[in-house]
Amino acid sequence: MKENKAIEKKFKTPIIIVSIIIPLAVVLLFSIRLKDFGIQVKPLSFLPPIYATINGITAILLILAVRAIKNGNRALHEKLMTSAIACSVVFLLMYVAYHMTAEATTFGGEGVIKYIYFFLLITHIVLSVTIIPLVLFTYVRALSSEFDRHKKLARITFPLWLYVAVTGVIVYIMIAPYYGN
C-alpha cells in the first residue's frame, strides 16, 4: 500500500509540470503562425473534422470503458482508457498543427445561439485544461493498483472528460459553417 502511494507521489511533480506546460504550450503555439517565420505551409484545413471525430471517438471510448469496468472487464477497461488517452494526445497534436497553419475562425452566429456557442466553448476550454491532471492522476492510481482511490477520482474525471470530448464535437459542428469565411 505504501509502495503504491509512493508511485503516485513519484509522478505528482511530473504530472503538475505537464499539466502546466501543455496549456501554456497550446496557447503559445496557438498564437504562432508558421508563415510568420517564412515557412510557407498550406493551411491544414482538412484537420478540424478529423480532430472533431477523434473527440467523438474519445467520448465513445470513455462510455465503453465505464461499461467494461461495471461489467467486471478490467482488461478491456484498461485498453479503452489507454486508447482514450491516445486519442486525446492525437487530437491535441492535430489541433495545434491546424492552428499553426490557419487563421482563426470567427463564429458568425447571432442571437441566443452565439451565447450558447461561447458558453460551450469557454467551458470546453476551461475543463480541457482542468482535465489534464485529473486524467493523469486517475491513470497513475490505476497503474499503481490504488483502485479505491482510482475509482473515487474517476467519478470526477469521467464526466468532466466526457463533457470536454462531447463539447469539442458540438463546438466544431457549430463553427464548421464559418471555416474559410
Side-chain angles (χ1 to χ4, degrees):
M1 182 90 148
K2 282 186 177 182
E3 183 180 304
N4 294 343
K5 285 189 180 184
I7 293 170
E8 184 178 339
K9 188 174 182 180
K10 174 181 164 185
F11 283 100
K12 183 177 183 177
T13 301
I15 287 172
I16 291 169
I17 291 169
V18 166
S19 298
I20 293 169
I21 289 175
I22 289 175
L24 290 177
V26 169
V27 168
L28 176 67
L29 294 172
F30 193 86
S31 64
I32 293 174
R33 299 288 178 273
L34 293 178
K35 69 177 184 169
D36 295 340
F37 296 94
I39 301 170
Q40 297 303 316
V41 178
K42 287 181 107 180
L44 302 175
S45 55
F46 63 92
L47 286 179
I50 296 171
Y51 63 67
T53 301
I54 290 171
N55 262 335
I57 291 168
T58 300
I60 292 166
L61 289 169
L62 292 171
I63 292 166
L64 292 174
V66 169
R67 285 185 61 198
I69 201 64
K70 285 186 177 188
N71 290 331
N73 192 340
R74 194 169 98 196
L76 179 59
H77 173 77
E78 290 175 17
K79 288 176 186 170
L80 291 166
M81 292 309 299
T82 301
S83 297
I85 291 171
C87 281
S88 293
V89 170
V90 170
F91 160 83
L92 184 61
L93 294 173
M94 287 183 176
Y95 181 80
V96 169
Y98 170 74
H99 285 285
M100 287 180 71
T101 64
E103 295 300 321
T105 301
T106 303
F107 182 72
E110 296 178 5
V112 173
I113 197 73
K114 182 176 183 177
Y115 295 106
I116 293 170
Y117 171 79
F118 281 109
F119 173 80
L120 291 173
L121 178 64
I122 291 165
T123 57
H124 171 81
I125 291 168
V126 169
L127 290 175
S128 69
V129 171
T130 305
I131 202 66
I132 296 167
L134 290 173
V135 167
L136 295 175
F137 278 116
T138 304
Y139 196 69
V140 165
R141 286 179 180 182
L143 291 177
S144 61
S145 301
E146 286 282 334
F147 296 117
D148 288 340
R149 296 179 74 229
H150 165 79
K151 185 177 179 179
K152 186 175 182 180
L153 187 56
R155 286 186 174 143
I156 298 166
T157 304
F158 167 72
L160 295 177
W161 192 2
L162 184 62
Y163 180 86
V164 169
V166 170
T167 55
V169 175
I170 295 169
V171 165
Y172 165 74
I173 290 168
M174 292 178 80
I175 199 164
Y178 306 105
Y179 280 118
N181 292 343

